[in-house]
Amino acid sequence: MKKFIFFFLILGSLQAQIRLPKLISDGMILQRDAPLTLWGWASPGESIALTLAGKTYKTKTSPQGDWKIQIPAHAADGKAHEISIKGKNQILLKDVYFGDVWLCSGQSNMVHQLDIHDVTYARDIEEANFPLIRQFLVPTIGRLQGPAKDLSGGSWQKAIGENVRPFSAVAYFFAREIHLKYGIPVGIINSSYGGTPIEAWTSEEGLKDFPDFTTTLNKNKDSIYVAETQKAAFTPPRASKDLGMAEKWFSTEYTPKAWRSIQVPGYWEDQGIRNLDGVVWYRKEIQISADASLDAPKLWLGRIVDADEVFINGQKIGGFTYQYPQRRYKVPQNLLKPGKNLIVVKVSNFFGKGGFVPDKPHALILGKDTIDLRGEWKYKVGEVFEPQAPRPMGISVQNQPSSLFNSMIHPFVNFSIKGVLWYQGESNAGRPQIYEKQIRALVTDWRRHWPEVPFIHAQLPGFMEYTYLPTESNWAQLREASRRTLDIPRTAMTVNIDLGEWNDIHPDNKLDVGRRMALAARKIAYGDELVYSGPIIQKAQKQGQKIILSFEHIGSALSTADGEEPQEFAVAGSDKKFKWVKATLQGKQILLDISELPEAKYVRYAWADNPVNPNVINSEGLPASPFEIEVN
C-alpha cells in the first residue's frame, strides 16, 4: 500500500511541473510589434502567472492541462528581458529579445549549413559576431499520427564565431542583411529537411483538394497498414563480399597486382567499365617535398557517386554514405610525411554512373602549396553487386503528406513570426504540373495560423547538363509554377537561375540567395521602396514580324549581364515546336524577330534544366525569371 501512495505522490509532483515548448526557452527572439501567445502545460486547473517587463498576466490550465497567455505587443527596445512563469513551480527565461522572427523552411538548399560551405565562407564564419542573430534548429523528424504538440528538441544559438557553423547559410545571410539594415534582433526558426516534397510540409486540411494525397493520408493513419508495408519493403543488409576490404587494399603493406589506369575526376562507366554497380577502389601515390607545410592539411575530392571511404597511408580519415556532400576532409596531424604518401579511396555505387563527379576540385592542400590530384590513378574492382529482385516500396515517413507539418511546423503555430522564407522544389520536379497549386495550398494553409504573413520563395537555380537546342524541362516547368504564384498578395520570388552549378544540386553560392531574399523582404515585409526582383514577364504582343516583350521590376532599363544581345529566347506555333529567335533590347522591352516563324504563338525564355546563357538583367543587376507566355 505504501508503494502505491509513494507512486501517486511522485505522479502528482510530476503533473504539477510547468512545462514549456522547446521553442520557448532562454535566448529566444520574440516577434516585436505584434500580440504574442506563450503557452505550455501543467496540471489541470493550475494557476499560471507570467511576468514580463514589470507586468503580470494570469490564467488557469484547462482540464487537459494546457494553458495560453496573451501578451500585448512590445517594441524592439534593444534590451535583454527575463520572463518568469510561475505555477506550483517557477521557470525563469533569460536573455530574451524582441525583434523579427523568420520561419525558414524547405529542403536541402535551405538546410545547408555554413559548415558545409566553410571554404567559400571561411571569412564570414571567422568574422561572425552577431549575438542578436539567433537560430533555432528544428530537429528533423516526420510524424504520421497527426499534429504533434511539441518539438523533439532544439535550442536557440547565437551567430558568434564557430557557433554559426550549424546555421542555414541562406537564412544566415538573409538575417545578416536585415539585422545590419534595421538594427534589430533577428530570429531564425530553421525548420527544413533535405530531400522532402512540399506536400509533407502542408497540413491535412491544406491538402483537402489533392485526392491522391488525402488517400495516402488516410492509409497512413492505419498503423497496421504502415507496419505491414514497412515489413514487406524491408531489405536485409547486403553481405559484403568486398575483396578490397578483405585483403586490405588500403594498407601500406599491400602490394598491388593487376590494377588498371583510370582518370580522376570522371565516371568509370565512361572509361571502359560497363554498367557496374559495386565497389571500385582507387589508388594514387604522391610525393610531398621536404619543405612543404604539413600543418592542418586538407584533402579535397569533389563529389563522389555514391559512397566513399578515404584512407591515407593506411589510416581511414573519413567518408560519406551518399553522393551530395563535397568531400573536403581534414587530414590528421602527423599522418602525412615528406616523400612518398599513399591515398586510397573506396567508392561504392548502387545505381547509375559511379565515380568522381567532373568539374570539382581534387587536391591535397598543404598550407600555401597544392598537390593536384587530377589525372591518372589506378583502380581495381572489389565487388560487383548482383541485381536484386524488385521489392515493394516502403514508407519514407519524412516524405509522406503532412508528416513534416505535423512534427516540424504545427508545434509552434502559436509562435508569432514576421515572415516565411521557402526554398524547396527539387523533390517535386518529377511532377511539376501540380506545383503551382501546391504552393498556393501551402501559403493558404500556413496563413490560417499566421494571417497574411509575408511569404518569400526561392526559384530553383540552373542544374544538370547544358542543352544547346530548345527542349522540354521539368525544372523549367517548376520555375514557371513558382512564377505564376506571384499574384498571391504579400508574396515574392527570388530569381536564382544564374546561381546554379551544372554538377551540384547544392550550389555553393548561398550568399546571393540570402541577399535576394532580404531585398524581397525589405519590400513586402518592411515597406521599403526599391527594385527587389529581377525582371518578370508581363505580356507578349505581336506587331508585324516582331513580338514585343514587356516586363515589370526592370528599374531604369533592361540590360544583359555580358553586354551581348539577349540570349535563350525561343518561339513556337500551335504545335509547340520551339526554335531559337534573335532578340534585341529596346529600353524597357525586348523585341523578338519572328520573320522565319510569323505564326509564333508562344515564347519561352531560359527554358531548360540549366540554360546556357540566361543573360537578361535589370538595372539592379538582378536576373530575369525564366518563363513561358502566350502571345496576344
Side-chain angles (χ1 to χ4, degrees), residues 229-459:
T229 301
Q230 299 295 64
K231 183 179 179 180
F234 174 73
T235 302
R238 189 192 303 267
S240 176
K241 300 177 182 178
D242 178 18
L243 191 62
M245 194 59 75
E247 296 183 356
K248 298 183 179 180
W249 292 354
F250 54 83
S251 171
T252 55
E253 303 298 319
Y254 167 75
T255 301
K257 297 178 182 179
W259 287 60
R260 299 176 182 273
S261 295
I262 195 168
Q263 292 293 309
V264 171
Y267 301 108
W268 61 66
E269 277 87 353
D270 295 336
Q271 301 185 65
I273 301 176
R274 181 179 297 171
N275 299 331
L276 172 66
D277 295 335
V279 177
V280 177
W281 289 74
Y282 290 72
R283 175 185 178 93
K284 189 176 184 69
E285 291 183 349
I286 60 170
Q287 291 288 329
I288 296 179
S289 65
D291 59 351
S293 171
L294 298 180
D295 184 38
K298 296 184 285 291
L299 178 65
W300 290 4
L301 294 174
R303 284 180 52 224
I304 295 176
V305 183
D306 291 294
D308 67 301
E309 295 180 54
V310 180
F311 304 83
I312 293 182
N313 293 335
Q315 179 177 326
K316 183 176 176 178
I317 68 163
F320 285 91
T321 59
Y322 63 112
Q323 65 169 292
Y324 290 114
Q326 290 278 342
R327 272 55 172 190
R328 291 170 176 165
Y329 295 115
K330 295 178 180 178
V331 180
Q333 288 292 116
N334 303 318
L335 183 57
L336 294 168
K337 59 186 186 297
K340 185 175 73 173
N341 291 262
L342 175 66
I343 301 173
V344 177
V345 184
K346 172 187 173 182
V347 179
S348 301
N349 175 245
F350 308 101
F351 178 79
K353 292 183 177 182
F356 293 76
V357 174
D359 234 10
K360 290 289 181 182
H362 299 79
L364 181 65
I365 314 298
L366 303 172
K368 295 181 180 179
D369 298 324
T370 298
I371 297 177
D372 191 348
L373 298 178
R374 294 174 299 173
E376 183 179 349
W377 288 53
K378 298 296 183 180
Y379 85 90
K380 191 171 184 178
V381 176
E383 182 178 1
V384 177
F385 296 155
E386 295 291 336
Q388 294 187 335
R391 300 184 69 90
M393 292 292 290
I395 295 175
S396 297
V397 173
Q398 74 273 16
N399 293 334
Q400 297 301 297
S402 302
S403 64
L404 299 182
F405 176 87
N406 290 340
S407 56
M408 297 180 65
I409 299 295
H410 182 270
F412 55 86
V413 293
N414 290 320
F415 201 82
S416 294
I417 62 175
K418 179 71 171 181
V420 173
L421 305 183
W422 177 254
Y423 193 163
Q424 191 276 338
E426 300 91 338
S427 289
N428 289 89
R431 200 178 177 186
Q433 301 83 0
I434 66 168
Y435 194 68
E436 177 186 346
K437 185 178 178 181
Q438 288 185 281
I439 292 182
R440 293 181 184 277
L442 180 76
V443 174
T444 300
D445 187 37
W446 288 13
R447 282 181 174 175
R448 290 191 297 113
H449 306 287
W450 298 292
E452 297 306 311
V453 67
F455 190 97
I456 300 166
H457 52 110
Q459 191 186 58

Side-chain angles (χ1 to χ4, degrees), residues 105-216:
S105 189
Q107 59 181 104
S108 53
N109 275 306
M110 183 62 83
V111 172
H112 260 222
Q113 307 96 334
L114 280 164
D115 189 50
I116 295 175
H117 301 273
D118 63 351
V119 174
T120 301
Y121 299 119
R123 185 171 179 179
D124 296 278
I125 294 170
E126 181 183 354
E127 295 179 352
N129 187 22
F130 299 101
L132 296 184
I133 297 177
R134 301 178 183 185
Q135 174 181 266
F136 187 97
L137 181 58
V138 175
T140 52
I141 187 171
R143 178 182 168 89
L144 301 179
Q145 301 78 27
K149 286 188 175 182
D150 197 7
L151 301 170
S152 60
S155 62
W156 289 92
Q157 301 294 327
K158 299 176 183 178
I160 301 177
E162 292 294 298
N163 290 334
V164 81
R165 286 182 174 272
F167 278 52
S168 158
V170 167
Y172 171 72
F173 290 125
F174 168 87
R176 192 176 69 179
E177 292 287 311
I178 297 299
H179 177 65
L180 292 175
K181 176 65 179 178
Y182 301 108
I184 54 169
V186 179
I188 301 163
I189 302 175
N190 181 0
S191 185
S192 47
Y193 197 145
T196 56
I198 189 172
E199 57 267 21
W201 296 98
T202 313
S203 76
E204 182 173 359
E205 170 67 19
L207 293 175
K208 65 181 185 301
D209 294 329
F210 297 86
D212 290 353
F213 297 141
T214 55
T215 297
T216 302

Side-chain angles (χ1 to χ4, degrees), residues 2-22:
K2 289 181 179 179
K3 290 182 179 179
F4 285 113
I5 294 173
F6 182 67
F7 172 78
F8 283 116
L9 285 173
I10 292 177
L11 181 61
S13 175
L14 288 173
Q15 288 177 333
Q17 299 296 310
I18 297 173
R19 185 165 67 87
L20 298 176
K22 302 295 189 301

